Amino acid sequence: MRRRRLRAAITAVAVATATLAALPATTPTPAAAASRPAAARDWSTAVVDSTMARYTPSTIGGWSYPVGLYLYGQYLTYLRTHDARYLTYIKDYVDRFVKSDGSISQSFNSLDSMQAGRLLVILHHETGQDRYRKAARKIRDRLNTYPRTSDGGFWHADNSSRAHQLWADGVYMVNPFLVEYGKEFGDSAYTDDEAAEQLYVYGSHLQVGNGLLKHAYDESKSASWADPQSGLAPEHWCRAVGWYSMAITDVLDAIPANHPRRAQLLSIFRRLAAGLEKYQDPATGRWFQVIDKGGREDNWTETSCSSMFTYALSRGAERGYIDPHYAAVARRGYEGVLAKLSVGADGRTELADISIGTNVGDYAYYVARTRDTNDFHGLGAFLIMNEQLRGD
């Protein structure tokens, strides 16, 4: 069945061009879209079609977590629409890196390099081709020797500049892959425990009294940004916290109801949700680049993290992980993100105010980051959010 689905996808691409569907001249302005986010317009397909029109599977970029995030969002759109082009595009991208024998020329010496591994699990599920299992297994096996802190947290990367460091970003780079790998390949006894443990260890270090997480923690306390007593980074950078919020949601979805770490993860999530509600911008519904310092004139609301928080709060409220009232907080976030979406003169979507890739730094560093349009961090987060909320 899975092979027939993929053959159908490939056939459909052969007979259907990748031209973007004509968009109506009366497309609402972003502000109008925000006021009625449940409108008939399918913003997920509009974003995917626009991105596919801009890039081929060969030009979209190398093996990376931003592209992996975006293509995961495209897959969610495929699952709903069954548009064959979307799945074939993902396969064509992945097949640039995975050979027919399952070999993949990645060393997986950083958590960032593992995120696109979700696509390997997806393609095995859709096609049944064993090469994707073999490639995914390389990530799973790498974790057997991957360096950890003394309490078991995966280092952000296996190199001297990231040694002993836990970055909130990292939990999303590996743990959703882990639980999905475990489900697909019968390895959940390990993967569920590992993913839950990683989220607990990271949360125990990074979460502070206001419920938010600091960007990073250095066990050695030797990094230039690390507090000499706590080892923590100085700020709550929004996308780092966004990565964690999505990861904890996805892992709670996957692990058993009686998992021994579940109660602790729920406690972390509930404190985080309260902090997010407190610091949501009342004027826009979005969240600031440095979350808790929205009162500063040079701070700005960032689209990717706002999408991530909106997704996590909506799904968390839906699944009962957090109080039901957070659905309204998510709705305000959704409207705020839609206000950053527009349609250009070429008929393609434009998603604005997305922070480019960012290291650990101080307040001035974060607020000075480039505010990009159509950056894959934002496009992927938008699709994940929109597939969660579009039917509300």
Side-chain angles (χ1 to χ4, degrees), residues 212-213 236-246 249 269 272-273 275-277 279-280 285-292 302-317 322 326 329-331 333-334 337 381 384-385 388-389:
L212 303 178
L213 282 72
H236 302 293
W237 177 49
C238 72
R239 192 160 66 229
V241 184
W243 291 122
Y244 189 95
S245 69
M246 290 203 301
T249 306
F269 193 5
L272 173 57
L276 293 175
E277 181 178 25
Y279 292 108
Q280 185 180 34
R286 296 185 296 273
W287 283 266
F288 286 91
Q289 172 80 333
V290 179
I291 301 174
D292 61 331
E302 200 277 334
T303 304
S304 69
C305 77
S306 296
S307 298
M308 292 171 172
F309 296 150
T310 295
Y311 163 77
L313 293 173
S314 173
R315 193 166 187 88
I322 55 178
Y326 287 107
V329 180
R331 171 55 55 176
Y334 186 46
V337 172
I384 292 169
M385 173 199 70
Q388 169 66 25
L389 279 104

Side-chain angles (χ1 to χ4, degrees), residues 11 29 44 66 91 129 177 185 222 245 248 282 331 336 362 370 379:
T11 301
T29 65
S44 290
K91 185 178 185 301
Q129 293 182 20
F177 160 80
F185 301 115
S222 61
S245 69
I248 200 167
R331 171 55 55 176
D362 58 13
T370 299
L379 295 181

Side-chain angles (χ1 to χ4, degrees), residues 19-35:
T19 54
L20 182 63
L23 301 177
T26 57
T27 297
T29 65
S35 67

Side-chain angles (χ1 to χ4, degrees), residues 133-189:
R133 179 194 61 80
K134 292 177 179 177
R137 180 76 194 188
K138 187 173 181 180
I139 301 175
R140 163 67 177 86
D141 288 345
R142 178 67 182 92
L143 295 177
N144 294 334
T145 58
Y146 195 82
R148 300 170 182 251
T149 58
S150 61
D151 52 358
F154 291 137
W155 291 6
H156 193 63
D158 188 3
N159 58 49
S160 59
S161 67
R162 302 290 185 264
H164 312 288
Q165 296 174 19
L166 309 180
W167 294 22
D169 322 42
V171 293
Y172 191 80
M173 303 305 157
V174 66
N175 294 300
F177 160 80
L178 266 178
V179 293
E180 291 160 6
Y181 177 97
K183 181 179 179 181
E184 180 72 9
F185 301 115
D187 196 19
S188 294

Side-chain angles (χ1 to χ4, degrees), residues 330-341:
R331 171 55 55 176
R332 292 193 293 274
Y334 186 46
E335 293 171 353
V337 172
L338 286 179
K340 289 296 181 180
L341 185 66

